């Protein structure tokens, strides 16, 4: 038996999972809580793995917690191993005519499009035995999940493209600015962009020059609206809550908040024309081995995309195809 075979035979693979959790949780104590183990047990497991690897993986002590070069490399490999193993059941499903199995959908929090909805409707009708799990993450984490093969594909915004991944635009949305009923600008129709300057703002965590909502950040910078951000969230629902409660003005996809405008729970602010545009993509990893079910769903989604022109997949000041079409200019409740 050569050295490599001996190493693989003697390695306790459970230690790799423990190591991944320690890195993800940023410490042994938090990892022990997640793993439902005692802290000394997790610490011993890390020591055993370091002994088997023959390298120190984490610099710890005195409040410090930092991956070594060997630790970073092992973590990178472990996430790929975990992503592959986690989908073995789907990859080995029987080649029956009727698809079974499971599809994980990893997406950003404000993906609202009839393209995805119609894909789910038709796929479930044809393959009712397939189950789904929809997980909401930041666009950055969606990309990481696809890159590390823990998700078969992702749907998200992009700031920069990673060379190892493939991208296909699903739709383009436009971000307007809004306020809630407690705000002094609510109900006013005589506004221009200068009226927004000096107002407190709320926004998404990704609303920055180096993240997914860069077009919104550029608009705020160019119009001097970026000085007083009092609230942030990674979820659209919570950004909408902060706006509704009057903490500040904030950006939201225009087509997503149509009902809020009709109900008077939000009020549209400038700019009324040419608001910042953001593209939403489906992201895949050519190196991932997808199950038959995952491949079929992804193909169905891409077929829905291909069936519509970009103009049909651009949502601005009208509701997207598949939604009731009504004006988006809200009137103040009487």
């Amino acid at each position: 038996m050569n050295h490599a075979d001996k190493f693989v035979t003697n390695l306790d693979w459970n230690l790799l999972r423990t190591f991944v959790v320690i890195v993800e949780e940023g410490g042994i104590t938090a990892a022990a809580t997640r793993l439902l183990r005692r802290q000394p047990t997790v610490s011993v497991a890390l020591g055993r793995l370091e002994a088997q690897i023959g390298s120190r993986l984490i610099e710890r002590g005195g409040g410090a917690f930092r991956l070594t070069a060997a630790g970073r490399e092992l973590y990178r490999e472990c996430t790929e191993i975990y992503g592959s193993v986690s989908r073995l059941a789907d990859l080995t499903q029987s080649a029956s005519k009727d698809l079974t199995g499971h599809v994980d959908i990893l997406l950003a929090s404000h993906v609202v499009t009839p393209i995805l909805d119609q894909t789910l409707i038709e796929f479930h009708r044809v393959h009712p035995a397939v189950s789904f799990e929809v997980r909401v993450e930041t666009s950055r984490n969606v990309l990481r999940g696809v890159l590390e093969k823990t998700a078969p594909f992702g749907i998200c915004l992009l700031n920069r493209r990673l060379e190892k991944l493939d991208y296909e635009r699903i739709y383009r949305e436009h971000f307007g600015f809004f306020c809630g009923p407690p705000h002094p600008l609510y109900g006013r129709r005589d506004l221009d962009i200068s009226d927004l300057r000096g107002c407190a703002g709320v926004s998404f965590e990704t609303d920055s020059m180096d993240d997914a909502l860069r077009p919104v950040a550029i608009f705020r910078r160019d119009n001097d609206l970026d000085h007083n951000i009092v609230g942030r969230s990674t979820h659209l629902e919570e950004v909408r809550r902060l706006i509704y409660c009057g903490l500040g003005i904030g950006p939201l996809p225009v087509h997503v908040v149509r009902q809020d405008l009709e109900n008077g729970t939000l009020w549209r602010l400038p700019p009324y024309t040419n608001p910042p545009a953001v593209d939403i993509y489906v992201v895949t990893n050519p190196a991932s081995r997808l199950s038959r079910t995952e491949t079929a769903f992804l193909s169905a989604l891409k077929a829905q995309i291909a069936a519509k022109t970009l103009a049909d997949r651009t949502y601005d000041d009208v509701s997207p195809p598949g939604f009731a079409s009504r004006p988006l200019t809200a009137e103040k409740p009487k």
Side-chain angles (χ1 to χ4, degrees):
M1 181 181 294
N2 61 36
H3 175 73
D5 289 338
K6 184 177 180 179
F7 175 77
V8 171
T9 301
N10 293 335
L11 179 65
D12 183 347
W13 292 81
N14 289 323
L15 298 179
L16 296 179
R17 174 57 179 158
T18 300
F19 172 68
V20 168
V21 174
I22 292 172
V23 176
E24 290 177 346
E25 295 298 325
I28 292 175
T29 301
T33 301
R34 176 171 159 185
L35 292 167
L36 302 178
R37 298 178 186 172
R38 295 185 301 114
Q39 180 179 341
T41 302
V42 175
S43 183
V44 168
L46 176 58
R48 287 178 55 204
L49 179 61
E50 289 179 327
Q52 292 189 18
I53 295 293
S55 298
R56 193 164 183 82
L57 302 174
I58 298 174
E59 297 291 350
R60 52 199 185 277
F65 181 91
R66 184 175 67 255
L67 284 174
T68 65
R72 289 193 297 272
E73 187 63 31
L74 181 62
Y75 177 70
R76 208 162 24 239
E77 292 297 325
C78 283
T79 53
E80 290 208 11
I81 292 170
Y82 179 72
S84 298
V85 171
S86 66
R87 296 203 306 279
L88 280 179
D90 281 342
L91 289 171
T92 57
Q93 68 177 333
S94 62
S96 60
K97 180 178 180 181
D98 296 328
L99 285 179
T100 58
H102 182 80
V103 177
D104 278 325
I105 302 178
L106 191 61
L107 77 174
S109 73
H110 57 282
V111 173
V112 178
T113 171
I115 293 173
L116 177 59
D117 296 346
Q118 196 60 37
T119 302
L120 284 165
I121 291 169
E122 295 183 5
F123 197 87
H124 177 67
R125 177 178 56 80
V126 178
H127 308 292
V130 174
S131 62
F132 293 87
E133 180 178 353
V134 180
R135 293 184 289 139
V136 177
E137 291 283 357
T138 63
S139 290
R140 189 188 300 268
N141 286 342
V142 171
L143 288 173
R144 186 173 70 176
V146 177
L147 182 64
E148 295 176 351
K149 305 178 186 176
T150 57
F153 62 91
I155 300 175
C156 63
L157 296 70
L158 295 178
N159 179 40
R160 63 186 182 91
R161 298 182 181 227
L162 304 178
E163 292 183 1
K164 294 182 179 181
L165 303 181
D166 290 338
Y167 309 87
E168 183 170 349
R169 179 167 49 195
I170 305 178
Y171 65 97
R172 174 173 292 168
E173 62 186 5
H174 289 78
F175 276 73
F177 281 76
F178 303 88
C179 68
H183 198 276
L185 295 183
Y186 182 87
R188 288 184 54 181
R189 301 177 181 277
D190 57 340
L191 301 173
D192 59 40
I193 200 68
S194 63
D195 293 301
L196 277 57
R197 294 180 185 130
C199 291
V202 300
S203 196
F204 295 87
E205 289 284 357
T206 52
D207 179 2
S208 67
M209 297 297 290
D210 61 349
D211 215 326
L213 283 180
R214 189 170 188 268
V216 176
I218 291 174
F219 180 88
R220 288 194 300 102
R221 181 201 63 189
D222 291 348
N223 290 279
D224 200 26
L225 304 177
D226 58 349
H227 299 300
N228 187 20
I229 304 300
V230 300
R232 292 184 184 272
S233 177
T234 57
H235 289 267
L236 180 143
E237 293 80 4
E238 300 311 318
V239 173
R240 175 164 39 192
R241 186 200 305 274
L242 296 174
I243 296 172
Y244 168 74
C245 292
L247 274 71
I249 64 174
L252 292 167
V254 176
H255 74 282
V256 174
V257 297
R258 174 182 59 83
Q259 194 64 51
D260 293 289
L261 295 175
E262 294 174 356
N263 294 339
T265 53
L266 292 178
W267 185 262
R268 178 77 181 270
L269 301 170
Y272 303 116
T273 59
N274 300 319
V278 175
D279 291 335
I280 311 296
Y281 292 84
V282 57
V283 185
T284 54
N285 188 338
S288 291
R289 294 182 58 201
L290 304 189
S291 69
R292 289 178 60 238
T293 303
E294 292 166 341
T295 299
F297 182 83
L298 188 57
S299 296
L301 176 61
K302 290 189 174 185
Q304 286 284 341
I305 297 171
K308 296 176 175 61
T309 66
L310 178 57
D312 291 332
R313 293 182 280 119
T314 297
Y315 312 149
D316 40 35
D317 282 358
V318 296
S319 299
F323 288 80
S325 180
R326 296 188 182 181
L328 283 179
T329 302
E331 295 192 7
K332 189 173 181 179
K334 295 181 173 59

